[in-house]
Amino acid sequence: MTRVFSGVKPTGHLTLGNYLGAMRRWADVDQHQADALFCIVDLHALTVDHDPARVRRLSRQAATLLLAAGLDPELCTVFVQSHVDEHARLSYVLECVATDGEMRRMIQYKEKAARERERGGSVRLSLLTYPVLMAADILAYGAEEVPVGDDQTQHVELTRDLAVRFNQRYGHTFVVPRATHPRVAARVMNLQDPTSKMGKSEDSGPGIVYLLDEPDVVRKKVMRAVTDSGQEVVYDPAAQPGVANLLEILAACTGGNPSDLSGVYESYGALKSATAEAVVEVLKPVQERHRELCADPGYVEGVLRDADRARAMARPTVDAAYRAIGLLPAAEGAAADIRVTV
């Protein structure tokens, strides 16, 4: 059975883009057809300034929404990254294989570092190296497929490069994974800026539809979406990115095709109205299940406490990587003998 791994970062409230671009496929396809692991990657949230209490709160919320979206702990493994030490263990080993140039070419690092320089500040070292931690997340489990949005493809390519390089230098240790993408809406764009991704890290904004937005809020945001000059509804992402974004969202929600749908609507208003209602309907079962899970917090906590399955999958591979790169194995069950002389 194919093994897949993917995760969400608790740096903001999950959005329609997270759901259409990844979470829905995880629930509808991946957990049924593969040995699947889905992770709240909380260590990645520490790469930027953050409020510790908010990270904990968003981690619980993300876990609850993953379950509300349809992930079933009986079918897949849902866990928190920091609960499995093998992620951090393997990350350092892979840092010893990665290069400075590779890290600095990562698009997200370049963009965030440039913004900080403009403000007269600097970014954390962990922001530079976090793609290696992401590679460790994937390689520790021998994942063959990594279902991601288009914006994460570069990171999966880095993971592949590191796996191949390690295998060539130290012996075959890692499975070389590949990225997989949903058929449509792999990258949902901001409704107010259709050239930018609908990112969850922004605290607010009329261009972002959050999974827990009330129906009237969803309708208002979609109806106020930026469109393009002209009046004809045409699917042309380059010339009409605003209209194309709405058509892709509508297609993802209804199972249609953006090009085919473009011929159905005679005005931008009609397209917006149809898209708004489609989004409300797609989010309704997720929100209903979320309310049920919030009424039973012990269930979610119980799911997250059970990280043994993930740990058991990761440890043999990480131990093998340690041996391959030249580290002495620890004695089984032996405690460290530490003497301090004053």
Side-chain angles (χ1 to χ4, degrees), residues 265-275:
Y265 302 97
E266 297 182 355
S267 68
Y268 291 167
L271 172 62
K272 288 180 178 181
S273 180
T275 303

Side-chain angles (χ1 to χ4, degrees), residues 49-119:
D49 289 340
H50 62 277
D51 173 13
R54 185 170 187 264
V55 170
R56 286 191 290 270
R57 184 170 65 252
L58 289 174
S59 294
R60 292 191 185 93
Q61 184 187 85
T64 306
L65 281 168
L66 289 180
L67 298 172
L71 292 186
D72 183 350
E74 297 297 321
L75 299 174
C76 64
T77 305
V78 180
F79 68 105
V80 177
Q81 179 189 31
S82 62
H83 294 178
V84 180
D85 294 343
E86 279 65 29
H87 292 257
R89 289 180 62 209
L90 183 56
S91 182
Y92 179 74
V93 167
L94 293 178
E95 283 185 18
C96 298
V97 178
T99 68
D100 176 76
E102 286 175 316
M103 296 301 97
R104 296 187 187 279
R105 285 194 295 272
M106 292 291 105
I107 293 172
Q108 292 190 26
Y109 171 78
K110 290 168 65 175
E111 291 177 347
K112 291 181 180 180
R115 286 198 295 268
E116 284 301 317
R117 282 195 296 270
E118 290 175 0
R119 299 169 185 162

